[in-house]
Amino acid sequence: MSKEYTFDKDDLKKIEEIKSRYPEVTPAVMPVLWLAQDKFGHVEPAVQKLVADTLGLPQAHVQGVASFYTQYYKKEKGKFVLDVCTSFSCQICGGYEILDHLENKLGIKAGETTEDGMFSIQSVECLGACGYAPMLQVTNDKYVNNLTTEKVDSLIENLKQGKMPEFESIPMPQHETES
Amino acid sequence: MNIDWKNYKPILIPAIKDLHKIDVYEKNGGYKALKKVLSGKSKMTPEEVVNEVKDANIRGRGGAGFNAGLKWSFMPKPDGGPRYLACNGDESEPGTFKDRKIFEYNPHSFIEGAIIAAYAMQIQTIYVYIRGEYRDFIDMMDVAISDAYKKGYLGKDILKSGFSVDMYTHMGAGAYICGEESSLMNSLEGKRGYPRVKPPFPAQKGLWGRPTTINNIETLANVPLVINNGAKWFKGIGAETHPGPVLYGISGHVNRPGVYEYPTGMLLTDLINEVAGGVPGGKKVKAVVPGGSSTPPLRGDSLDGVRMDADSLREAGSMMGTAGICVVDETVDMVDFTWRISGFYHHESCGQCTPCRDGTGWLEKTLDKIRRGDGEMRDIDLLYEICTKMEGRTICALADAAAWPVRYALDRFREDFEARCKKTVYALA
């Protein structure tokens, strides 16, 4: 039996606001999938059906969109999804060492979830933080930059206590020398 | 050409505290260009704006390097129907992390530039497409856009000029291909991000079949500078054929990585050794990727005199791309490095065209075979053959972007590949 998913009144209001940004309804698919994922933690097929029914679109279309984009979770993942960047700048600055460390620490491989459902690890493509390599992103949200194994260890401890990292502002070096 | 970069003060993202706040931006001359265009004695016609920007030769900062004003001039005459501006903040090319600095530190320069662009092309709706991973930066943009509405720079009858335009952010969800302009339009339309066949070009048939222009974020952020100071002034900055300030994102093996603003035409060696503080441990530079993963890697021993502009980089055998410079030191094996680039393109190929869908996989697998020590000399030829069968044979340029780094890595670092391959021995009958 799959779970029942519904949007509440506030969600529906937000969806109407989203629809008003575009000349037709189809473009609302991506923002509404995001809204659904933020609410339910994933967009497995039953959630895709909810999105399709709410927008009056074929479920096949919504599934087609959801499956094209990697950030939509088509099945449930851990509470915290650790996306370790291994693209070239991170690769040469130790991204794979960070990934190895995480795999050993959590006892799972990239693409897997810990048994208690707390953590998933993924090796991902460039996240646009190349100068701050190696780095990872926590559940499509905060970036943790300039990683060391110690930094990873304290991140895991914090996350276990439900403490998300904060946004880190990284100024341009020219600005630092002038101010 | 002599660039006095040591005395250069950033103008695209000046070092002003809290410049992201609209009041601070206004106090420092912000929205002056928009006022100049829309009101008073200085009021410009849309054609005058297009011509000024075209004359300034702002070459697209997203990678293609096409004259932005010239692109604007391709828009057909208004027919009363909707027209769109899509701003490309997908920023997904490995080595590229510059537009996020505009979102964070000077969002209004981009918003102002986009409004001026919309006026010049008589567009009523602007979408700002930002990669889904940049959630924090999207939030910052939403705040900045909302502030611009409150001040009357966006919305109906802007500065009582009769001109109206709306602006919305659209959040991507993890697909490099959506930085390709026609794929970006499909994504904005709520579809899978498949690139479209061109022609028709976006100016003829873009979003929802209507005239559309797609510009990079940094490109648009340059527009207020051009309007305020004139095309002639702008052309006096940096390289003659590729003028203006540019955000250099320097990553990899350097002591001070980060995003730096300097004029175009900087010597690559100055950027690496002076600006970014050289290679840690005094190691030698083995390779430099000058403008994001799709631009061919240069050899570290061939960097003398190479400047960061389209002409100089073409001569050196590469491209300006996004000016995202990745420095690779002598400890890196180019087989590993090239394999990872191929892995990226394999993952990001949308799968529409067979040469790309299969070719990117073949490149990655063949490089992985060499990496594992199972490669043979003939695999090097196989890699060249795969590249040839990909280049120019697909709807969009992703296949070319995947093939070039491999082809040029083989040309320029062949010794690394040969060292990992077994000799191919054929028995003669």
Side-chain angles (χ1 to χ4, degrees), chain B residues 117-134:
Chain B
Y119 171 75
M121 291 178 276
Q122 298 173 67
I123 283 167
Q124 309 83 7
T125 313
I126 305 170
Y127 292 105
V128 188
Y129 190 102
I130 304 176
R131 62 179 304 176
E133 292 86 349
Y134 279 1

Side-chain angles (χ1 to χ4, degrees), chain A residues 33 48 60-70 72 74, chain B residues 192:
Chain A
L33 278 169
Q48 294 168 19
H61 180 83
V62 176
Q63 190 190 347
V65 172
S67 61
F68 188 83
Y69 299 92
T70 52
Y72 296 130
K74 273 70 71 179
Chain B
R192 292 164 75 87

Side-chain angles (χ1 to χ4, degrees), chain A residues 21-22 64 128 169-170 174, chain B residues 100-101 104 127 170 192 261:
Chain A
R21 300 176 205 163
Y22 306 99
S169 179
I170 307 177
Q174 280 160 300
Chain B
R100 56 181 274 182
K101 296 296 169 190
E104 185 175 358
Y127 292 105
H170 184 95
R192 292 164 75 87
E261 180 193 327

Side-chain angles (χ1 to χ4, degrees), chain B residues 327-347:
Chain B
V327 180
V328 182
D329 79 15
E330 57 188 328
T331 63
V332 175
D333 189 299
M334 289 307 281
V335 178
D336 294 329
F337 190 71
T338 312
W339 160 77
R340 190 61 189 83
I341 295 178
S342 290
F344 170 79
Y345 287 104
H346 185 203
H347 184 263

Side-chain angles (χ1 to χ4, degrees), chain A residues 15 29-30 36 52 55 66 80 93 98 107-108 113 132 135 148-149 156-157 161 163 167 172 177:
Chain A
I15 289 168
V29 170
M30 288 184 71
L55 293 175
F80 300 108
C93 292
I98 293 297
I108 51 169
T113 302
Y132 324 118
M135 57 80 63
T148 56
T149 49
I156 296 293
E157 285 316 308
Q161 293 162 24
K163 219 172 108 194
F167 171 75
M172 290 164 68
T177 49

